[in-house]
Amino acid sequence: MKSIEWADNKVKMIDQRKLPLKDEYIICNDYKCVAKAIKSMVIRGAPAIGVAAAYGFALAGLSSKAKTSKALLDDLKVAHSHLSEARPTAVNLFWALSRMMNIAINNIDMSVNKLKDRLIEEATIIKSEDIAINEKIGQYGSALFNKKVSVLTHCNTGALATGGYGTALGIVRSLNKQGKIKRVWVDETRPFLQGARLTTYELKKEGIEHILITDNMAGYFINKGDVDAVLVGADRIAANGDTANKIGTYSLAVLAKENKVPFYVVAPTSTIDMNINSGGDIPIEERDKREVLFIGESRIAPSRTKVKNPAFDITPARYITAIITELGVINSPYDINLKNKLLLNKRN
Ligand code: MRU
């Protein structure tokens, strides 16, 4: 299953707003179209947003009329700032854009056409690296379990939310390959229903046993002993381990701790933001009230009902059993261990 691909110098994305009812694609040939696709959640999930931003940046290069690489850089700066505004919480967006910008700056001596090709190449590398990272995460994560388990997951962290394979759902895939999945409890994930629409879609395609529940049923099943572990993704992990993820994640973490069920955050290291000290500093996106007032086309509350729609919440580090990355499983104290792991990786 492909969330996004570069095809004939265009960016092709499956429209995740339409899944699972329709397989429709959006094709972009300019960066503004990609920014719009990210904002409107045609494509979503932190790593996939990063890949889309990188491809959007490459498109900005390709469509630029600049005659010199220096002039191209000016156009790329405009695209960078436009794409940066698409969504505020997933740090992978900013991570991918700054990686692309560095490629442009560091290769400013190339001819303009060579630099355009180099940007397309880098975006493609970002995508393929993401898939390899997810497979690595799957290996580390699945090694934590030595028997058949039932896991609960929130939102969608699968192939659709990444370059491919998935983070938390990637671990589920790896566990399933090893015959270690009893079942997956899928939170529907109000209001955008990523769990009900997308995670069930992916698990069904993979033939993995799963049961869909509404978000407010999670505590009931966790307390009954039906859940061996909770696996969630992340949009941004602060230097102290506090984690922003889909709204409802914090409640799950509290429920897991109360019931002594391990709670794992699963993410590539590109989701760790060492410039943010703690969760309180992570910007939380507030989305359109329509997402809460409507399910599909059906309105569920009277007109003029006031609505709040924060797309993410913060889970304090103390609720997190471990953070599973492509560099391995990181335990608390996160303020020390995240820094050490990243530094060690930089040195090697
Ligand atoms: O609003 P979304 O659908 O982009 O939110 C997605 C999540 O919260 C995911 O858990 C997170 O981005 C990780 S995806 C591997």
Side-chain angles (χ1 to χ4, degrees):
M1 194 178 320
K2 286 185 184 139
S3 58
I4 181 164
E5 63 185 320
W6 183 265
D8 300 327
N9 284 339
K10 296 186 179 73
V11 179
K12 184 177 174 194
M13 289 164 279
I14 192 158
D15 189 343
Q16 299 192 29
R17 299 167 307 178
K18 305 278 171 67
L19 288 172
L21 303 178
K22 289 183 197 153
D23 279 20
E24 278 179 17
Y25 290 83
I26 301 272
I27 293 173
C28 289
N29 51 21
D30 67 70
Y31 73 86
K32 287 190 178 161
C33 168
V34 176
K36 198 170 156 205
I38 296 172
K39 205 179 184 68
S40 63
M41 308 241 271
V42 165
I43 185 149
R44 31 66 47 204
I49 290 172
V51 173
Y55 277 144
F57 193 93
L59 273 183
L62 200 60
S63 56
S64 164
K65 303 252 181 316
K67 296 274 185 295
T68 65
S69 292
K70 282 208 176 70
L72 176 63
L73 192 60
D74 290 337
D75 286 348
L76 291 171
K77 283 180 186 159
V78 175
H80 182 286
S81 103
H82 188 89
L83 284 159
S84 299
E85 280 164 20
R87 289 189 78 187
T89 306
V91 74
N92 307 61
L93 172 79
F94 309 98
W95 169 87
L97 287 174
S98 86
R99 180 162 156 175
M100 293 296 288
M101 187 52 100
N102 283 338
I103 292 292
I105 292 168
N106 295 337
N107 293 289
I108 197 74
D109 293 336
M110 278 183 174
S111 74
V112 70
N113 285 336
K114 280 219 166 97
L115 183 51
K116 288 180 179 186
D117 287 347
R118 180 67 190 88
L119 292 173
I120 296 169
E121 182 192 43
E122 189 66 13
T124 309
I125 293 173
I126 289 178
K127 181 181 163 181
S128 52
E129 274 180 7
D130 187 55
I131 299 171
I133 283 169
N134 289 339
E135 286 169 354
K136 198 99 210 143
I137 288 175
Q139 286 167 20
Y140 282 119
S142 59
L144 291 171
F145 304 94
N146 50 20
K147 61 174 177 80
K148 254 190 159 183
V149 284
S150 291
V151 301
L152 186 143
T153 190
H154 193 61
C155 196
N156 170 265
T157 60
L160 290 167
T162 59
Y165 202 70
T167 58
L169 215 62
I171 294 181
V172 167
R173 281 206 161 90
S174 300
L175 283 169
N176 187 55
K177 275 189 210 141
Q178 298 160 21
K180 291 198 278 191
I181 278 289
K182 205 184 292 169
R183 78 171 53 87
V184 184
W185 295 99
V186 180
D187 263 9
E188 70 169 350
T189 319
R190 274 285 287 152
F192 206 69
L193 305 175
Q194 291 93 329
R197 297 187 301 103
L198 309 175
T199 300
T200 53
Y201 175 79
E202 289 200 40
L203 291 173
K204 183 176 176 193
K205 276 201 178 226
E206 289 278 318
I208 299 175
E209 173 69 23
H210 59 280
I211 297 179
L212 175 65
I213 57 174
T214 63
D215 299 337
N216 50 0
M217 295 173 189
Y220 172 77
F221 288 108
I222 292 175
N223 181 255
K224 241 161 64 72
D226 290 341
V227 176
D228 298 305
V230 178
L231 298 173
V232 297
D235 279 76
R236 198 185 293 229
I237 301 172
N240 72 344
D242 290 354
T243 294
N245 190 49
K246 181 51 53 197
I247 192 79
T249 301
Y250 167 59
S251 324
L252 279 178
V254 175
L255 285 168
K257 191 167 184 112
E258 162 72 12
N259 290 281
K260 300 188 176 48
V261 167
F263 180 89
Y264 296 110
V265 166
V266 188
T269 50
S270 52
T271 303
I272 301 170
D273 187 351
M274 294 305 280
N275 297 317
I276 296 264
N277 290 329
S278 65
D281 295 331
I282 299 177
I284 298 292
E285 177 183 14
E286 178 77 26
R287 290 189 62 83
D288 195 319
K289 61 182 182 195
R290 270 188 71 90
E291 290 176 0
V292 175
L293 285 172
F294 288 79
I295 295 184
E297 295 306 310
S298 306
R299 192 182 176 105
I300 56 167
S303 57
R304 293 194 297 277
T305 300
K306 287 184 185 160
V307 169
K308 282 272 184 201
N309 186 14
F312 303 96
D313 58 24
I314 305 291
T315 299
R318 66 180 180 281
Y319 290 102
I320 300 170
T321 310
I323 299 174
I324 305 170
T325 72
E326 76 278 18
L327 301 181
V329 177
I330 304 172
N331 294 104
S332 69
Y334 298 111
D335 50 351
I336 296 168
N337 291 344
L338 284 173
K339 196 177 2 166
N340 286 347
K341 192 60 120 182
L342 295 180
L343 279 178
L344 196 70
N345 182 53
K346 225 177 192 175
R347 261 188 243 133
N348 292 336

